[in-house]
């Protein structure tokens, strides 16, 4: 069974998942383990308090993290799978020097997710037409990016709430 997403649903998901603070939170926990209570500020010191709070609130709301007794903020299974998606996107970006040969990790992920979003809008176009025009496209790059796209779509199929427009903050 193939699940189809509308361009709006994909855009909503990409806006959520490409958030720098959310990427930082998920990858920090994935790389270093649970964040102990009251250590989020020190662990994510490059983010403002507002960004830290927004990231943890969004991660909780979408079921990406949980507070585990005795350990702190930890990834759930969907959060772990999202970290794997982030790693796959970053690997593709590094391998193909996208968007630039040297680029910050979360920026690479944001650019790849945006590229996947663009590819979803032009599904009927030639496969390589949605790769950046400034870079020579290759069959290998298209195939690898298609795998990242498939990972994203599988994650979205398992976590469809992420495709909905965010609820307004009170």
């Amino acid at each position: 069974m193939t699940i189809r997403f509308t361009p709006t649903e994909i855009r909503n998901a990409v806006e959520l998942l490409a958030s720098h603070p959310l990427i930082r939170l998920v990858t920090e926990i994935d790389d270093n383990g649970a964040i102990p209570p009251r250590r989020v500020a020190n662990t994510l010191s490059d983010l403002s308090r507002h960004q830290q709070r927004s990231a943890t609130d969004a991660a909780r709301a979408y079921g990406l993290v949980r507070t585990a007794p005795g350990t702190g903020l930890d990834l759930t299974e969907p959060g772990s799978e999202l970290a794997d998606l982030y790693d796959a996107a970053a690997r593709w970006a590094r391998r193909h020097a996208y968007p630039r040969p040297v680029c910050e990790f979360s920026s690479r992920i944001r650019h790849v997710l945006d590229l996947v979003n663009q590819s979803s809008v032009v599904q009927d176009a030639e496969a390589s037409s949605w790769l950046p025009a400034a870079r020579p496209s290759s069959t290998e790059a298209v195939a690898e990016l298609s795998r990242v796209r498939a990972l994203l779509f599988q994650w979205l199929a398992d976590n469809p709430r992420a495709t909905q427009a965010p609820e307004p903050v009170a």
Side-chain angles (χ1 to χ4, degrees), residues 44-93:
L44 303 175
S45 60
D46 58 317
L47 302 177
S48 70
R49 295 260 188 217
H50 175 73
Q51 290 173 316
Q52 293 167 10
R53 173 62 114 192
S54 294
T56 55
D57 288 350
R60 282 188 177 106
Y62 289 95
L64 305 175
V65 297
R66 67 175 174 267
T67 302
T71 60
L73 203 57
D74 202 2
L75 293 177
T76 60
E77 186 175 336
S80 241
E81 291 167 355
L82 179 59
D84 292 342
L85 170 63
Y86 285 162
D87 287 341
R91 273 192 309 275
W92 184 89

Side-chain angles (χ1 to χ4, degrees), residues 74-134:
D74 202 2
L75 293 177
T76 60
E77 186 175 336
S80 241
E81 291 167 355
L82 179 59
D84 292 342
L85 170 63
Y86 285 162
D87 287 341
R91 273 192 309 275
W92 184 89
R94 278 191 304 271
R95 182 176 180 141
H96 299 286
Y98 185 74
R100 304 177 282 291
V102 177
C103 189
E104 193 258 334
F105 182 80
S106 66
S107 182
R108 284 192 192 279
I109 292 168
R110 284 194 312 273
H111 280 87
V112 171
L113 290 177
D114 284 340
L115 189 58
V116 168
N117 182 30
Q118 292 169 24
S119 77
S120 299
V121 172
V122 293
Q123 288 176 10
D124 298 328
E126 181 183 330
S128 63
S129 68
W130 41 267
L131 284 175

Side-chain angles (χ1 to χ4, degrees), residues 6-78:
T6 67
T8 300
E9 289 173 325
I10 296 167
R11 186 180 59 249
N12 290 340
V14 166
E15 285 177 21
L16 168 70
L17 302 179
S19 156
H20 172 72
L22 184 65
I23 293 169
R24 279 283 294 119
L25 177 66
V26 169
T27 57
E28 180 67 35
I29 296 170
D30 185 54
D31 290 347
N32 299 305
I35 300 175
R38 303 187 188 276
R39 298 293 298 175
V40 172
N42 290 343
T43 304
L44 303 175
S45 60
D46 58 317
L47 302 177
S48 70
R49 295 260 188 217
H50 175 73
Q51 290 173 316
Q52 293 167 10
R53 173 62 114 192
S54 294
T56 55
D57 288 350
R60 282 188 177 106
Y62 289 95
L64 305 175
V65 297
R66 67 175 174 267
T67 302
T71 60
L73 203 57
D74 202 2
L75 293 177
T76 60
E77 186 175 336

